[in-house]
Amino acid sequence: MGGIETSVIDNGAGRGTRIAWINTGTGLRYKVVIDRAMDIADAFYNQHSLAWLSHLGITAPQPFSDKGIDWIRTFGGGLLVTCGLTHIGGPETDEFGERGLHGQISNIPAEIESIIQPDPVAGKMEMSITGLIRQTHPLGIRLELRRTISATLGKASIRIHDEVINKGNTTAPHMLLYHCNFGWPLVDEGAEIIWEGFWKSRESGESNKIFREGNSFRKCVAPLDDHSGGGEEAAFIDIAPNSSGQCTSGIYNAAIGIALALRFKKEQLPWLTNWLHFGKGEYVIGLEPGTNPPIGQAKARELNQLIYLLPGESRVYDLEIEVLDQETTINEFLNNRISRN
C-alpha cells in the first residue's frame, strides 16, 4: 500500500548516493536524497510530475563546493533543495569570511537516525525518516540540522520538521531557505501562481520585465527567449498569514485539475521568494520560504535582520506540501487566500 524504501543510485553522476522512496499510497510518491541533506528530488502525483529537475539530475554530494557559484554545479533541482545554514544568497566576502552561493548544507550527507514504516493492519498509518546533517568546522561554527520527513498512508501530503541547533561554543549566524522547485506538467502556460503579501522585485530598471505593477505575473507564460541560458527574475514577498499565523502559497493548474499547496508558519519563515526561470526546456517556478530573502549574510547583518544562535540554542521549522485534486478542496484553497496587497 505504501511505505519507505531505501536504495543506492548505481549509475551516472549520482552513483553511490543514498536515497529513500516514500510512497503515500495516494498517487503521491517522492525521492528523498539522504546524501544531499535529505532534500527531495523527484516527486509525482499519479502520472504527473510535480518537481523540476535540472539537466544534472541527482549528483553525489560535494561538501567543499562552497566557494563562489560552485553550488550551481551540483544543483539538480528537485521538489526541495535546502539553502543555508549560515548564508542564503549570492557569493560574498567580508571581514566575517567568504561565503559561496546558498551555503553548504545541501552538499552534506545525513546520518539516518530512524525509519518508521506504516502498519495499516495494526492501524498505524504514519511513516517517517529522520536524520542528522552536521555543518561543522573544527574550532569554528558547529550547526546541526535534525530533519524528519513524514507522511500518512492515504493522505497526499509531505511534512517536513526541521530543528537547527547550535552545538558549538560560540554564537553562530543563521539563515535558512527552502528552495522548492516546481516543473512540468504542474507548471505550464496558464497555471496560476498563488501567494499574497507585500512584494518587491529583486531586479530593477530594464532587468525588471515581469514583476511590475500592472503586469500579470501570477499566470505562467510561454517560454521566454530572455530566459534562455541564465535568464531569470525573482520577487521578495513579505507573505501574509491567516488568522492562525499560517502562510499558504502554491500552484494551480486547471488544465490537469491539480493544485499544490505549500504551507508554513509566518513566525518561523516570514519571507517568500518567487523565482521564475521560463527557459525553453528549463521551465521552472521556485517558491522559497525563508528566514530572510536570499540577500546574503552581509546585507542581512547590515539591515539588522540576521539571526544569531547562541551556544545550545535551537530553532524549529515546519513545512507542508499537499496535493489537491478534488474540486471542493481546490476551491477552498483558492478562496481562502488573503486579499491581495
Side-chain angles (χ1 to χ4, degrees):
M1 294 178 65
I4 301 175
E5 179 183 6
T6 59
S7 61
V8 177
I9 296 173
D10 72 349
N11 201 5
R15 184 176 182 182
T17 302
R18 297 174 298 158
I19 61 172
W21 273 106
I22 299 181
N23 182 359
T24 65
T26 63
L28 175 64
R29 59 204 187 278
Y30 51 97
K31 183 190 295 177
V32 175
V33 188
I34 297 169
D35 281 343
R36 299 295 302 260
M38 293 177 62
D39 286 340
I40 301 173
D42 313 57
F44 300 92
Y45 187 72
N46 294 328
Q47 75 271 34
H48 299 303
S49 176
L50 305 173
W52 170 78
L53 302 174
S54 81
H55 295 306
L56 282 174
I58 294 174
T59 63
Q62 298 184 26
F64 300 105
S65 62
D66 59 348
K67 306 294 183 185
I69 60 169
D70 285 353
W71 182 90
I72 204 76
R73 294 171 49 244
T74 68
F75 179 44
L79 193 72
L80 168 65
V81 176
T82 311
C83 302
L85 297 169
T86 60
H87 171 74
I88 57 174
E92 59 184 29
T93 303
D94 59 18
E95 66 270 30
F96 298 97
E98 180 180 358
R99 296 172 290 277
L101 174 65
H102 285 329
Q104 298 175 270
I105 194 66
S106 71
N107 271 293
I108 301 176
E111 175 186 325
I112 294 301
E113 187 176 86
S114 68
I115 295 177
I116 299 174
Q117 298 285 4
D119 186 354
V121 174
K124 298 177 181 178
M125 309 299 279
E126 302 297 314
M127 66 188 93
S128 66
I129 180 170
T130 298
L132 301 176
I133 304 101
R134 297 181 175 92
Q135 181 178 316
T136 67
H137 295 278
L139 309 182
I141 290 174
R142 183 185 169 196
L143 293 178
E144 181 176 281
L145 169 62
R146 186 176 189 269
R147 169 165 290 178
T148 297
I149 298 176
S150 61
T152 303
L153 204 61
K155 294 185 179 180
S157 67
I158 304 167
R159 299 186 302 273
I160 300 162
H161 177 77
D162 285 348
E163 182 180 12
V164 178
I165 310 167
N166 182 357
K167 292 281 191 174
N169 57 15
T170 58
T171 299
H174 171 51
M175 303 179 81
L176 178 65
L177 181 134
Y178 295 89
H179 204 303
C180 299
N181 308 287
F182 305 109
W184 189 87
L186 174 66
V187 171
D188 199 358
E189 185 176 357
E192 186 173 357
I193 306 169
I194 310 296
W195 52 260
E196 304 300 336
F198 294 101
W199 59 274
K200 179 180 180 181
S201 175
R202 184 188 65 184
E203 282 72 27
S204 60
E206 294 183 358
S207 298
N208 180 17
K209 298 181 179 180
I210 296 178
F211 289 106
R212 294 180 286 107
E213 291 289 353
N215 194 40
S216 182
F217 54 78
R218 296 178 186 270
K219 288 280 189 180
C220 295
V221 299
L224 302 174
D225 288 336
D226 285 346
H227 283 197
S228 296
E232 61 176 18
E233 285 194 39
F236 301 151
I237 303 135
D238 183 2
I239 190 165
N242 64 15
S243 58
S244 300
Q246 184 183 69
C247 302
T248 299
S249 63
I251 309 290
Y252 172 50
N253 189 329
I256 61 174
I258 288 178
L260 182 145
L262 174 64
R263 302 186 181 98
F264 50 96
K265 297 177 181 179
K266 177 75 173 182
E267 65 178 355
Q268 297 175 349
L269 300 163
W271 289 94
L272 178 72
T273 299
N274 186 185
W275 170 58
L276 303 177
H277 176 64
F278 291 145
K280 296 177 181 179
E282 287 190 323
Y283 195 97
V284 54
I285 288 174
L287 292 173
E288 308 167 16
T291 57
N292 310 78
I295 55 175
Q297 191 187 113
K299 187 66 175 179
R301 184 181 288 108
E302 176 189 331
L303 296 173
N304 199 29
Q305 296 173 354
L306 184 61
I307 297 168
Y308 293 93
L309 296 179
L310 299 173
E313 188 177 5
S314 65
R315 284 206 169 213
V316 170
Y317 303 96
D318 294 283
L319 196 73
E320 181 187 26
I321 298 171
E322 183 180 12
V323 182
L324 310 171
D325 66 356
Q326 300 298 311
E327 184 177 357
T328 54
T329 54
I330 290 175
N331 286 338
E332 182 180 359
F333 167 60
L334 297 175
N335 293 334
N336 284 349
R337 290 176 285 176
I338 307 296
S339 297
R340 296 184 181 216
N341 295 297

